[in-house]
């Protein structure tokens, strides 16, 4: 197999799939999902400080079972994080509503990825957490509401990076069913980062741009620097 390369076409991911009902968007069965014809990812690419390296794409496509299971872990962790925030920050209606919606969506995605693993005959195995989330969270401020604002900004980068990587993988993997699923995820993932940023700004009396710029540099360094473990959000393979 030739070495995969990063997509060099436009910022939109195209798919010619047609569907009969929008109710398929919420199906656990990935064969029933509605895949959008086009998702504009220019805002995601503009938000991130660096693009995924071709070396990561090559390593990921060479070990899709690991990437699929770590993706499941990511969906479960995202739901768990949102649930913790739901209980901790009960003062904001907008925050509570967005978090409740996010929990439902992340758990649906978790079910879907579990279904993909089952289809492929892939057994669950232990995977240690990578350095990515910890590498950003260690910079989180320790007092409120600054801590909450930082958590939401970090969440925005995690969601944007997930979206960018789904798009990168969808362009190169040979498994069309899995590629279609990754294209399906782009619609929700491409808006999550903006939701997180809006919530972060709503909790701050000051503009959060400087804090966003700080975490952009931290996140880009984690993504582009050598990493000894392959994970869905890992850096360039060492």
């Amino acid at each position: 197999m030739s070495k995969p390369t990063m997509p060099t076409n436009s910022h939109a991911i195209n798919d010619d799939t047609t569907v009969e009902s929008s109710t398929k968007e919420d199906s656990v069965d990935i064969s029933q999902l509605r895949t959008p014809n086009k998702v504009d990812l220019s805002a995601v690419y503009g938000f991130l400080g660096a693009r995924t390296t071709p070396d990561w794409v090559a390593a990921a496509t060479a070990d899709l079972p690991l990437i699929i299971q770590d993706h499941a872990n990511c969906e479960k962790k995202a739901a768990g994080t949102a649930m913790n925030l739901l209980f901790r920050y009960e003062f904001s209606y907008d925050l509570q509503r967005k978090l409740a919606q996010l929990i439902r969506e992340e758990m649906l995605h978790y079910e879907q990825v579990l279904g993909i693993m089952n289809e492929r005959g892939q057994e669950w195995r232990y995977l240690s957490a990578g350095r990515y989330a910890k590498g950003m969270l260690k910079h989180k401020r320790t007092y409120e509401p600054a801590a909450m604002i930082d958590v939401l900004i970090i969440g925005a980068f995690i969601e944007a990076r997930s979206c960018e990587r789904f798009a990168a993988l969808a362009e190169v993997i040979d498994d069309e069913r899995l590629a279609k699923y990754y294209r399906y995820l782009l619609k929700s993932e491409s808006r999550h980062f903006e939701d997180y940023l809006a919530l972060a700004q709503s909790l701050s009396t000051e503009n959060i741009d400087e804090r966003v710029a700080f975490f952009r540099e931290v996140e880009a360094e984690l993504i582009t620097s050598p990493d000894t473990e392959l994970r869905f959000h890992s850096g360039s393979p060492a």
Side-chain angles (χ1 to χ4, degrees):
M1 179 188 297
S2 61
K3 183 177 180 179
T5 57
M6 293 296 296
T8 56
N9 55 355
S10 69
H11 287 166
I13 299 295
N14 294 293
D15 182 61
D16 296 329
T17 305
T18 58
V19 296
E20 297 178 356
S21 172
S22 61
T23 60
K24 294 181 179 181
E25 291 182 6
D26 296 327
S27 177
V28 175
D29 181 358
I30 67 167
S31 67
Q32 300 298 314
L33 297 177
R34 179 182 184 182
T35 303
N37 291 326
K38 181 184 293 186
V39 178
D40 184 4
L41 301 182
S42 57
V44 170
Y45 297 146
F47 175 66
L48 295 170
R51 295 288 291 273
T52 289
T53 65
D55 287 344
W56 181 89
V57 177
T61 54
D63 196 352
L64 280 177
L66 184 150
I67 294 300
I68 292 169
Q69 183 179 322
D70 199 48
H71 174 199
N73 284 338
C74 290
E75 299 289 1
K76 183 167 55 174
K77 289 174 185 176
T81 297
M83 182 65 77
N84 289 336
L85 295 176
L86 192 76
F87 281 100
R88 186 170 181 180
Y89 300 98
E90 298 180 330
F91 56 84
S92 169
Y93 167 76
D94 285 341
L95 181 62
Q96 290 283 299
R97 181 172 56 85
K98 285 289 187 181
L99 288 172
Q101 293 171 350
L102 184 64
I103 291 164
R104 290 199 305 271
E105 197 166 83
E106 302 291 11
M107 288 309 298
L108 173 62
H109 294 167
Y110 178 61
E111 285 187 85
Q112 291 166 345
V113 181
L114 286 180
I116 290 171
M117 291 180 65
N118 185 61
E119 277 186 4
R120 297 168 67 97
Q122 181 177 335
E123 294 185 1
W124 192 272
R125 62 189 177 95
Y126 172 74
L127 282 181
S128 61
R131 67 178 189 176
Y132 179 73
K134 291 179 183 178
M136 287 191 285
L137 285 169
K138 72 179 183 181
H139 297 286
K140 176 176 72 70
R141 292 170 290 185
T142 58
Y143 54 93
E144 299 294 357
M148 179 60 183
I149 291 167
D150 282 355
V151 167
L152 292 169
I153 292 172
I154 290 168
F157 279 102
I158 293 173
E159 295 293 335
R161 181 60 62 187
S162 297
C163 185
E164 189 253 5
R165 291 208 154 164
F166 288 136
L169 290 171
E171 288 287 334
V172 298
I173 57 177
D174 294 331
D175 187 327
E176 178 53 32
R177 188 173 176 84
L178 187 60
K180 179 183 176 183
Y181 179 61
Y182 287 159
R183 290 194 293 269
Y184 152 80
L185 289 173
L186 295 180
K187 183 177 180 181
S188 59
E189 299 293 337
S190 65
R191 71 170 187 273
H192 280 171
F193 88 93
E194 293 175 330
D195 290 339
Y196 272 109
L197 289 179
L199 288 170
Q201 185 59 72
S202 72
L203 297 177
S204 178
T205 57
E206 301 177 349
N207 190 289
I208 65 171
D209 287 353
E210 183 175 337
R211 202 65 185 156
V212 171
F214 169 77
F215 279 110
R216 179 177 291 113
E217 292 185 5
V218 172
E219 199 271 347
E221 171 65 19
L222 288 166
I223 286 298
T224 57
S225 61
D227 200 335
T228 57
E229 290 185 306
L230 176 65
R231 295 291 185 269
F232 190 80
H233 292 105
S234 59
S236 190

